[in-house]
């Protein structure tokens, strides 16, 4: 297993509209998609910076993962997502090396990607996502 590139950087925001405004007006990027991922209790907005995407995450439920993250740590960088050939195979491979997983199997994320998270306890505090098409 070797990631091909950083697919996106996930950033938790308190207010999606305000955050989109910042990324467009200050950073000069264009929001090309807004999507709600009901399963993860988030509304997402996407920007492209070259090959890498910025994924803004606004919680739709204070009990959801982003709601809890913001309450504990405030807005900011939430996770780094690596593009891999096959998210399921990659999850199995790192689990065999002793890494704890949040997702034993991939699930559908934004943009219809197959995604799975590694537990930050096993990744020195960096919430890590694998994604594949
Ligand atoms: Zn992500």
């Amino acid at each position: 297993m070797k990631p091909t590139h950083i697919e996106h950087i996930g950033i938790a925001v308190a207010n999606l509209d305000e955050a989109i405004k910042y990324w467009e007006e200050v950073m000069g990027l264009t929001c090309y998609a807004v999507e709600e991922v009901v399963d993860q209790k988030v509304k997402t907005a996407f920007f492209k910076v070259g090959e890498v995407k910025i994924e803004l995450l606004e919680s739709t439920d204070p009990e959801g993962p982003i709601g809890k993250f913001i309450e504990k740590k405030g807005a900011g960088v939430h996770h780094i997502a690596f593009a891999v050939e096959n998210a399921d195979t990659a999850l199995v491979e790192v689990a065999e090396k002793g890494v704890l997983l949040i997702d034993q199997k991939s699930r559908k994320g934004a943009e219809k990607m197959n995604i799975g998270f590694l537990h930050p306890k096993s990744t020195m505090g960096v919430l890590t996502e694998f994604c594949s098409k």
Side-chain angles (χ1 to χ4, degrees):
M1 195 281 301
K2 190 178 171 193
T4 54
H5 60 280
I6 291 177
E7 213 281 333
H8 63 267
I9 297 170
I11 299 174
V13 303
N15 182 304
L16 198 61
D17 292 334
E18 269 175 35
I20 290 171
K21 212 170 154 214
Y22 165 79
W23 284 90
E24 290 198 326
E25 290 178 10
V26 179
M27 296 300 281
L29 300 172
T30 305
C31 175
Y32 70 89
V34 173
E35 183 186 344
E36 187 169 346
V37 184
V38 177
D39 177 48
Q40 289 172 70
K41 301 180 165 71
V42 288
K43 216 167 126 188
T44 64
F46 283 92
F47 301 82
K48 275 185 189 136
V49 189
E51 193 177 9
V52 180
K53 296 167 191 162
I54 300 290
E55 175 187 45
L56 303 181
L57 302 147
E58 179 194 64
S59 181
T60 55
D61 180 343
E63 290 305 306
I66 295 298
K68 284 185 186 160
F69 177 87
I70 288 201
E71 197 190 303
K72 255 210 278 193
K73 299 186 176 174
V77 173
H78 180 257
H79 66 271
I80 300 181
F82 293 91
V84 293
E85 196 70 15
N86 180 310
D88 284 302
T89 313
L91 289 169
V92 169
E93 236 177 272
V94 296
E96 281 169 356
K97 291 179 179 168
V99 171
L100 292 174
L101 302 176
I102 291 176
D103 299 305
Q104 307 302 319
K105 268 182 59 134
S106 73
R107 53 195 160 95
K108 285 285 172 205
E111 302 195 305
K112 296 198 175 88
M113 299 281 270
N114 300 312
I115 65 155
F117 283 93
L118 281 53
H119 200 289
K121 267 186 193 158
S122 288
T123 59
M124 284 153 281
V126 180
L127 180 57
T128 302
E129 176 184 344
F130 286 155
C131 47
S132 60
K133 286 198 177 130

